[in-house]
Amino acid sequence: MSDRLMYRREFYIGGTWAKPASAERLGVVSPSTEEVVGEVPVATTSDIDRAVEAARTAFEEGPWPRTSPAERADVLARAAAELRKREDEIARVTVDEMGCAVSQARAAQTGMVAAVFDYYADLIRSYEFERVVRTGERAGLVTSEPVGVVAAIVPWNAPVTLAAWKTAPALAAGCTVVLKPAPEAPLSNYILAEALAEAGVPAGVVNLVPGDRDVGEHLVTHPGTDKIAFTGSTAAGKRIMSLCGEQVKRVSLELGGKSAAIILDDADLSAVIPRIVGGAMHLSGQVCGAHTRVLVPRSRYREALEAAGAAAAAVPVGDPHDPEVVVGPLVAERQRARVEGYIAGAVRDGARVVTGGVRPAHLPKGWYVAPTILGDVDNGMQVAREEIFGPVQAYIPYDDVDDAVRLANDSQYGLSGGVWTADPARGLQVARRIRTGSIAINGSYPPFPLVPFGGFKQSGLGRELGPDAVDAFTETKNVFIPTGA
């Protein structure tokens, strides 16, 4: 990997590559080798202040909020074209910075980046930013105006994808953005900033400042930001929501999940189980929407566990640079310790490790956990209640469909889910009963730009993607129009 991509010396602020306020550097550590593979500057609160000031100036004085939707659409379309040229670079950087298996990197880390910019370029050419409403002799001009300066805070598991989900609709709405990537995976979003600059996004409209939790909190509470768009843990989301509440600041949150896959009694387990297991191992299980609880008819429970154990044991684990590997390392040593702690806790609570649950013997270096299937799990156990964010799947028996629905809904989360059945119409009937933001029938399909994504309950507030995302970056104004105007 070239030094240009892996060793960054500056932030992107106000349309230029800006020198950081501090000389301190952050080493980016490869999860597979445990060695430093890159560096970025360490942001200070003064760097955040500069970025917010640049975004505020661009919003208050610059052309972007005052351009027509068609003009913004042209820029977004050029951004999509520039990002397509850089897909290989983005994918390769994420393999090194967060351990994404190269076999998944193009789809997981770039597949929904250019496509999202293209989607919003098309959408805002016909999006109704203003309309006239009338009743009798009264009339009002109802406008959707950009909310202002957006702080976009993204996690490390899909850094550019999730930055695109926020940045593209924010720009489409006419907002300006301060983007803060996670310290574990800050490098790939530099490529996004380069592409947006090349596409002609005006100075100050997008600013990139990687930083830790402390500067992130400064960004959230900064009086110059109007809206916070955050993806991350529910615990962090609660903190951000509390801080925003003190200022009545607009906020959207895409948080954790503990999603259930319901296998109905007519499903073909030999076909279904490998797909369910494979979906849960995507990005080493570090996916908020992963189907980590599998609900199985009690009469077929033993059969399902045997099939799941065999499927998980067959998943290739190893060096993420190897194109044959599916499960790479976890992002950090602390993350591996967290996952191992949940597995140990499950065993103490009475669950059984069907397969996995250990560090792979052939991988002495790197933060690996073998794909793990847990049996004899009760829905009240900690391992069934809390998000693990690792390659661990818990299998829970149920008595009938009503019991399965009750178990699926018995969660503080409501982000994703699935129903597996030989009868899709029956699957739809069950899916309608599940309190979750997204649910798939006979699959664990990734989101696509046209449909909203987000969660019920403690899985978040608001929606990303689809037209809903542009709505989320606007404020509604009514202008009363004089009669005859």
Side-chain angles (χ1 to χ4, degrees), residues 124-188:
I124 61 171
R125 295 184 193 279
S126 58
Y127 183 90
E128 194 174 46
F129 282 99
E130 58 180 51
R131 67 188 189 277
V132 175
V133 294
R134 301 180 187 277
T135 176
E137 296 183 352
R138 291 181 293 174
L141 174 66
V142 181
T143 66
S144 295
E145 300 185 358
V147 70
V149 175
V150 173
I153 303 175
V154 298
W156 43 260
N157 59 333
V160 181
T161 295
L162 297 175
W165 287 18
K166 293 166 178 54
T167 304
L171 296 181
C175 298
T176 60
V177 177
V178 177
L179 173 61
K180 193 200 82 66
E184 294 86 354
L187 293 164
S188 49

Side-chain angles (χ1 to χ4, degrees), residues 129-350:
F129 282 99
E130 58 180 51
R131 67 188 189 277
V132 175
V133 294
R134 301 180 187 277
T135 176
E137 296 183 352
R138 291 181 293 174
L141 174 66
V142 181
T143 66
S144 295
E145 300 185 358
V147 70
V149 175
V150 173
I153 303 175
V154 298
W156 43 260
N157 59 333
V160 181
T161 295
L162 297 175
W165 287 18
K166 293 166 178 54
T167 304
L171 296 181
C175 298
T176 60
V177 177
V178 177
L179 173 61
K180 193 200 82 66
E184 294 86 354
L187 293 164
S188 49
N189 268 306
Y190 275 81
I191 303 171
L192 173 62
E194 290 173 343
L196 294 177
E198 188 67 25
V201 173
V205 172
V206 174
N207 306 273
L208 175 71
V209 188
D212 60 17
R213 180 175 296 181
D214 289 340
V215 298
E217 189 155 311
H218 182 67
L219 178 60
V220 168
T221 58
H222 199 292
T225 58
D226 299 297
K227 160 141 186 171
I228 311 302
F230 171 78
T231 297
S233 72
T234 295
K238 288 178 179 179
R239 173 64 177 166
I240 288 171
M241 187 174 178
S242 174
L243 294 171
C244 289
E246 293 175 5
Q247 299 177 339
V248 197
K249 185 173 291 187
R250 278 59 179 150
V251 61
S252 57
L253 305 170
E254 199 276 281
L255 307 176
K258 195 68 184 177
S259 301
I262 301 174
I263 300 177
L264 297 184
D265 54 9
D266 61 356
D268 179 357
L269 292 186
S270 64
V272 163
I273 291 289
R275 293 179 63 191
I276 292 176
V277 171
M281 302 306 156
H282 181 62
L283 294 185
S284 304
Q286 299 170 125
V287 178
C288 56
H291 299 175
T292 53
R293 290 184 298 148
V294 183
L295 309 183
V296 186
R298 196 173 298 277
S299 61
R300 307 190 70 186
Y301 188 67
R302 184 184 298 275
E303 178 189 0
L305 280 183
E306 290 176 358
V315 175
V317 182
D319 182 352
H321 299 86
D322 182 346
E324 300 299 317
V325 162
V326 173
V327 171
L330 297 170
V331 73
E333 187 173 15
R334 72 171 192 283
Q335 187 66 19
R336 180 175 65 180
R338 170 187 170 88
V339 172
E340 290 176 332
Y342 273 108
I343 295 170
V347 173
R348 287 194 302 271
D349 288 343

Side-chain angles (χ1 to χ4, degrees), residues 254-262 276 280 287-295 379 383-388 392-394 396 407-409 411-418 434-440 444 453-456 459:
E254 199 276 281
L255 307 176
K258 195 68 184 177
S259 301
I262 301 174
I276 292 176
V287 178
C288 56
H291 299 175
T292 53
R293 290 184 298 148
V294 183
L295 309 183
N379 204 54
V383 75
R385 309 300 296 177
E386 298 180 10
E387 184 175 50
I388 298 174
V392 180
Q393 199 171 49
I396 302 170
L407 290 169
N409 287 334
S411 174
Q412 66 178 328
Y413 298 109
L415 185 59
S416 185
I434 308 304
R435 296 281 295 167
T436 190
S438 298
I439 189 163
S444 54
F453 181 82
F456 289 17
S459 286

